[in-house]
Amino acid sequence: MITIPVNPYKLFQLNRLVKNHSVKCFAYLAADLLRIRHLSIRLDPTSGCNIRCLMCHYSAPENRNTPIKLMPVNDYELIASRLFPKALQVFLGAGSEPTLHPELPYYAEIAKKKYRVPNVGICTHGQLLDATLIDRLIRSGVDEFVISIHGVNKELYERFQPPAKFEQLHKILRTLSAKIAESNGAAKLRINFTINPDNFRDLADFFKFFGEYRLSVLQIRKIYKLGKTDFRDFDLRPYWKELAELHEKIEIECKKRNIMLLCHSFKREPSDEIPPSVLLLPLAWRHATPSMVWKDDYNWRGESYEAYCKRTHWYREVIRMAFTPSRILIPSVHRANRVLQWDVK
């Protein structure tokens, strides 16, 4: 498989700039035919979490006591053999907490060193990280640590992410920053902040509380309903003008600090219209959990990725997509309302 060096964030940017989804469909087919890495893998090595963020489905009463499943090593190695040769990016942690898995460093090493995936990341709340685990993950080849927070000050952070502790978050961020410096930038830090009507004003103080850390990327995401949750207010429209002003200030501050900003553009009028950029999702994104890989009918234990694509006429489907108007395709895209809509600054 051919690897073309590319910054994934630049691909996000290019995806927003190229409006014609037919071009993306044929680019995907060309990359697959020419054996060029093109997939972004989101893999959950666990099926649970040890904290209960109010905006997450794990906060719902029926999900709070669900047993946490761990992906067995043999399953992970098989999934890796199916998907990683085509992967441009692998993120461990998508909807569940990856640091609950004791084999996480080994899983990162498989992606980076065995399959030579160019971009390997960990997405976590960070509460279980410590110096030893961070060291092991960096040595295993992790390129990016993504830490999710939903409050800048102690009161909001601990209210939205119980039973996480604000002091522990800062301890981990200090340790991460030091370890990243020791690695000479081999690993990077991204902070994900999900805004809602109760916490968005908190962002005005973001750099007051987090400006000391070695941050490469700040991502600001709108709240979306993720099944049943303990949180109820998902409507940001009444605050759009305030959000636009805050967005501009944060963008200026990020530029001063040489931090990349990923953010939904609040400078544009609020709209329910979903941009064609989301159509990259079915083409390039693959999600795997302890119980499912990509699609429900994919028997990944007994069938290769290529065999499945052939059996289901996947490439024929991509060609069909290329000639179908985007307005018809968008409603069928899973998670279309909450992914691949960020501006990259």
Side-chain angles (χ1 to χ4, degrees):
M1 189 63 65
I2 300 171
T3 300
I4 298 178
V6 64
N7 183 327
Y9 295 112
K10 295 300 182 183
L11 285 181
F12 289 157
Q13 201 169 32
L14 180 62
N15 181 47
R16 292 299 300 272
L17 292 173
V18 177
K19 307 296 184 185
N20 190 321
H21 75 282
S22 300
V23 172
K24 299 172 190 178
C25 289
F26 288 117
Y28 164 85
L29 291 171
D32 196 88
L33 179 65
L34 296 173
R35 298 178 59 79
I36 297 172
R37 292 180 179 272
H38 57 282
L39 295 183
S40 180
I41 313 297
R42 284 351 192 221
L43 190 147
D44 279 312
T46 72
S47 65
C49 189
N50 62 318
I51 67 174
R52 297 292 179 259
C53 298
L54 299 191
M55 298 175 285
C56 176
H57 64 281
Y58 287 123
S59 69
E62 60 267 35
N63 295 327
R64 288 175 189 167
N65 298 316
T66 303
I68 295 174
K69 296 179 181 178
L70 302 181
M71 181 180 287
V73 172
N74 289 345
D75 282 1
Y76 179 85
E77 291 175 336
L78 182 55
I79 293 169
S81 72
R82 304 295 198 208
L83 299 179
F84 290 6
K86 293 177 179 285
L88 182 64
Q89 180 186 63
V90 168
F91 260 104
L92 299 174
S96 299
E97 178 51 44
T99 58
L100 290 169
H101 204 298
E103 298 293 343
L104 185 63
Y106 174 67
Y107 285 8
E109 184 176 346
I110 287 290
K112 192 67 176 184
K113 298 184 178 179
K114 181 174 182 178
Y115 290 99
R116 301 185 182 277
V117 177
N119 303 283
V120 177
I122 304 292
C123 188
T124 171
H125 54 58
Q127 290 285 304
L128 299 178
L129 291 174
D130 57 25
T132 300
L133 181 54
I134 291 168
D135 263 336
R136 291 180 64 197
L137 289 168
I138 290 177
R139 288 199 304 270
S140 295
V142 171
D143 299 291
E144 186 174 33
F145 291 83
V146 182
I147 309 295
S148 295
I149 68 172
H150 308 316
V152 167
N153 63 53
K154 176 179 173 66
E155 187 277 325
L156 276 178
Y157 176 81
E158 294 187 354
R159 173 154 71 91
F160 276 104
Q161 296 179 257
K165 299 301 180 185
F166 193 64
E167 293 78 9
Q168 176 67 3
L169 170 68
H170 282 278
K171 178 181 178 181
I172 292 309
L173 289 175
R174 282 193 293 272
T175 304
L176 253 177
S177 294
K179 296 298 182 182
I180 288 171
E182 290 174 11
S183 75
N184 294 318
K188 299 185 183 304
L189 170 62
R190 177 173 111 199
I191 288 181
N192 279 358
F193 190 99
T194 301
I195 58 171
N196 62 58
D198 290 354
N199 74 356
F200 76 88
R201 293 184 182 92
D202 206 30
L203 266 177
D205 292 328
F206 179 84
F207 288 104
K208 173 183 174 182
F209 287 92
F210 294 92
E212 67 181 280
Y213 302 121
R214 198 180 177 96
L215 182 63
S216 295
V217 182
L218 172 60
Q219 181 173 10
I220 301 172
R221 304 190 296 184
K222 293 193 304 181
I223 185 173
Y224 293 104
K225 192 168 184 178
L226 304 176
K228 294 181 179 179
T229 70
D230 269 357
F231 196 74
R232 295 290 181 265
D233 190 358
F234 298 89
D235 188 8
L236 288 167
R237 289 170 183 264
Y239 315 101
W240 211 262
K241 185 176 179 181
E242 284 185 80
L243 285 164
E245 293 171 355
L246 183 59
H247 183 175
E248 186 171 355
K249 291 176 182 177
I250 291 175
E251 186 176 325
I252 291 170
E253 193 64 31
C254 283
K255 284 182 180 178
K256 286 181 185 177
R257 298 168 179 267
N258 197 29
I259 295 170
M260 181 177 290
L261 176 64
L262 303 183
C263 185
H264 178 93
S265 181
F266 296 102
K267 299 175 185 178
R268 294 190 290 268
E269 289 298 315
S271 172
D272 291 328
E273 183 178 352
I274 298 174
S277 58
V278 303
L279 292 175
L280 187 66
L281 183 67
L283 296 174
W285 285 38
R286 303 291 180 262
H287 185 204
T289 72
S291 58
M292 184 274 296
V293 176
W294 187 21
K295 294 177 179 287
D296 291 334
D297 63 340
Y298 177 27
N299 177 22
W300 53 272
R301 286 191 173 90
E303 187 176 33
S304 71
Y305 178 87
E306 292 77 11
Y308 173 78
C309 289
K310 183 177 181 180
R311 175 173 63 82
T312 59
H313 307 292
W314 168 243
Y315 301 112
R316 188 185 303 173
E317 174 64 14
V318 174
I319 294 172
R320 185 196 67 80
M321 289 173 58
F323 291 102
T324 303
S326 60
R327 58 181 170 78
I328 296 176
L329 293 172
I330 288 173
S332 66
V333 176
H334 179 55
R335 298 171 65 210
N337 65 332
R338 55 190 172 95
V339 297
L340 295 176
Q341 297 190 46
W342 318 296
D343 286 341
V344 182
K345 299 294 184 179

